[in-house]
Amino acid sequence: MRLRKSSPSLYSLKMYNFFIYGAIAIFSSFFPLYLQEVGMDKIEIGSLMAIGPFVSVFANPFWGYMSDRTQNIRRTLFLMMAGTLLLLQAVFLVSTYTMIYMSMVLFFFFQSPLFAQTNSMILSYIEGTGRKFGSFRLWGSLGWALIAAASGSVIDYFGTSSIAAVFSVLLLAAAGAAAALPPLRSAPDTPPVSLRGFGRIINNGYFMSFIILGVLVSTPNAMNSAFVSLYITELGGSKSMVGFSVFMSSIFEVIVFLMFDRWLKRKMTVLTACLALVSLLFALRWQLMAAASSPLDVVLVQALHCITFGGYFYVGTQLTMLFIPAEYRSSGQALYTLTWSGISGIVAGFAGGWLFQSFGGEMMYKAGVMLALLGAAGFGVMWYMLYKYGYRPPLAEKKQVPQNGI
């Protein structure tokens, strides 16, 4: 895809990121509290939150394929936002567990791939412009942090039932910003996307190893995302404190993205080494969370989210670009999203809920330490293999030419 020259459109792209990330922050941070208030225990909450990652396993590849096939990612995002908005209303209107589960399945089919397709849209709009991914993605971090912090007091005052109204307003604002963007047109030399091509992405050994290791590292992060609000309230914190913890977890991502944009080299060996280091920092973060004794401790530890998840997200997005050719980028980003909102989220929902319910939050976070260490070891092995043997892209095997950027 290529962008028709239009500098003012870049501001709308920033605003779109600000509002879409802010909307998802409200839902992911406060919805577990709503479920707890309507009578669900942690295992039930975990199983319900696992629906999203389970659905995303199918929804991300589906929407990624549709976006690649139609070469109209903006229209795809409009469809996804419309479905998300309509189905959210159903989630808060139904009154039985069965109806909540059914509504959530449909809701997550539209909502869960939003981040992956948003990343692809950013990359498509800035391609060939000299702009950096981080300078646009940081607006998502700002939206996540500032909107969550501001909404914490609102939800504390009006109750968790106000989540639907706040989310809806933010999603409509995101849609308005996306509507102000100019259309993207397909490049004339872009080949048509086929299911065969999509399947060949899966046959990329290095990329799929990256996906599997990402599941190990991301599972504890998904546990934290699903249950940190409950962890804070159990330690005596308020909904305002939950909002502040979200603020602390995201506000410093702005600095991280700017630093990565400026100094991080787009080489496979460098990026893989960064993932190994980030995995070690994840292990440290979960150890500190396990040792937390007050809501303030949790809020302070959440500041490490900027360098852990922020670093993993940024580096993983760049590494996916090196592993996957441009014509399959949306599909590749969709598969990459499985590492932090798909399979890992399913495991986190069920295993995290069971661990939290049966043994407490401390044991849940200690399990996260072990998974993060395993991921760090795996990325270390991958770095060694790339450093010693280089990388040959499977989609260009006939040419037998090593890819640049090793």
Side-chain angles (χ1 to χ4, degrees):
M1 294 183 180
R2 284 182 192 157
L3 173 65
R4 295 170 181 168
K5 274 193 174 181
S6 182
S7 295
S9 71
L10 300 181
Y11 178 76
S12 295
L13 188 57
K14 293 174 181 177
M15 289 298 96
Y16 167 79
N17 275 273
F18 183 86
F19 289 117
I20 197 70
Y21 274 82
I24 303 303
I26 297 303
F27 180 82
S28 62
S29 303
F30 295 99
F31 189 61
L33 295 177
Y34 167 79
L35 296 176
Q36 186 177 59
E37 289 186 6
V38 297
M40 289 189 175
D41 62 28
K42 294 178 180 66
I43 294 178
E44 290 172 328
I45 293 172
S47 63
L48 182 59
M49 297 305 290
I51 290 176
F54 176 77
V55 172
S56 75
V57 172
F58 308 98
N60 270 295
F62 171 81
W63 288 107
Y65 173 75
M66 291 300 295
S67 179
D68 285 338
R69 185 72 178 180
T70 63
Q71 293 293 298
N72 195 329
I73 193 169
R74 195 166 66 113
R75 182 184 300 170
T76 301
L77 279 166
F78 278 131
L79 290 174
M80 293 165 63
M81 285 188 284
T84 298
L85 182 63
L86 292 174
L87 288 162
L88 179 76
Q89 316 310 315
V91 170
F92 281 87
L93 289 175
V94 297
S95 57
T96 65
Y97 286 168
T98 301
M99 292 302 297
I100 289 178
Y101 276 84
M102 292 177 62
S103 300
M104 290 296 288
V105 168
L106 296 173
F107 170 80
F108 281 124
F109 178 76
F110 289 93
Q111 181 270 322
S112 59
L114 278 173
F115 283 160
Q117 296 309 305
T118 292
N119 294 340
S120 295
M121 186 170 73
I122 295 172
L123 294 169
S124 296
Y125 270 102
I126 67 175
E127 186 172 12
T129 67
R131 307 271 184 151
K132 300 295 183 65
F133 174 80
S135 64
F136 290 86
R137 173 56 180 81
L138 66 82
W139 283 87
S141 297
L142 284 172
W144 190 282
L146 297 176
I147 291 174
S151 299
S153 298
V154 174
I155 295 171
D156 211 4
Y157 182 80
F158 290 101
T160 53
S161 59
S162 63
I163 294 172
V166 176
F167 181 92
S168 299
V169 169
L170 293 169
L171 198 62
L172 288 171
L181 293 168
L184 284 162
R185 60 184 176 83
S186 300
D189 57 348
T190 298
V193 176
S194 65
L195 287 174
R196 181 185 177 188
F198 188 85
R200 294 182 71 180
I201 294 175
I202 301 176
N203 291 327
N204 185 326
Y206 274 109
F207 181 66
M208 293 311 297
S209 296
F210 161 59
I211 293 293
I212 293 170
L213 291 173
V215 170
L216 291 177
V217 176
S218 298
T219 294
N221 188 72
M223 289 181 184
N224 181 69
S225 297
F227 297 106
V228 67
S229 59
L230 304 181
Y231 193 48
I232 289 173
T233 55
E234 283 204 352
L235 291 173
S238 64
K239 295 180 182 66
S240 296
M241 186 68 79
V242 172
F244 189 52
S245 75
V246 178
F247 174 84
M248 288 295 291
S249 71
S250 304
I251 191 62
F252 298 114
E253 279 186 357
V254 174
I255 299 174
V256 171
F257 286 135
L258 290 175
M259 290 176 61
F260 281 169
D261 269 345
R262 183 168 183 177
W263 288 302
L264 187 64
K265 294 181 179 179
R266 273 63 174 178
K267 295 177 62 177
M268 284 188 176
T269 48
V270 173
L271 296 175
T272 308
C274 285
L275 289 179
L277 177 59
V278 166
S279 299
L280 290 174
L281 291 175
F282 261 126
L284 172 63
R285 179 184 172 191
W286 307 138
Q287 181 59 44
L288 292 174
M289 288 290 280
S293 59
S294 71
L296 182 59
D297 291 340
V298 175
V299 169
L300 294 176
V301 174
Q302 282 286 86
L304 286 174
H305 183 85
C306 66
I307 192 65
T308 50
F309 178 73
Y312 173 79
F313 175 89
Y314 183 99
V315 174
T317 300
Q318 301 298 320
L319 192 57
T320 298
M321 288 181 63
L322 295 181
F323 279 135
I324 304 299
E327 61 267 28
Y328 303 110
R329 182 170 294 154
S330 288
S331 300
Q333 292 294 340
L335 287 175
Y336 162 59
T337 304
L338 292 177
T339 65
W340 53 273
S341 68
I343 298 172
S344 59
I346 299 172
V347 177
F350 289 106
W354 176 75
L355 285 169
F356 201 165
Q357 181 76 23
S358 303
F359 305 103
E362 180 181 352
M363 185 59 67
M364 180 184 71
Y365 283 113
K366 285 186 175 180
V369 174
M370 298 304 299
L371 290 175
L373 289 175
L374 286 173
F379 282 122
V381 172
M382 181 182 289
W383 169 84
Y384 176 77
M385 297 293 288
L386 286 169
Y387 178 79
K388 186 171 183 179
Y389 300 108
Y391 172 73
R392 292 180 183 274
L395 296 178
E397 283 177 350
K398 293 182 179 180
K399 296 180 182 180
Q400 293 296 309
V401 178
Q403 179 165 316
N404 294 330
I406 298 296

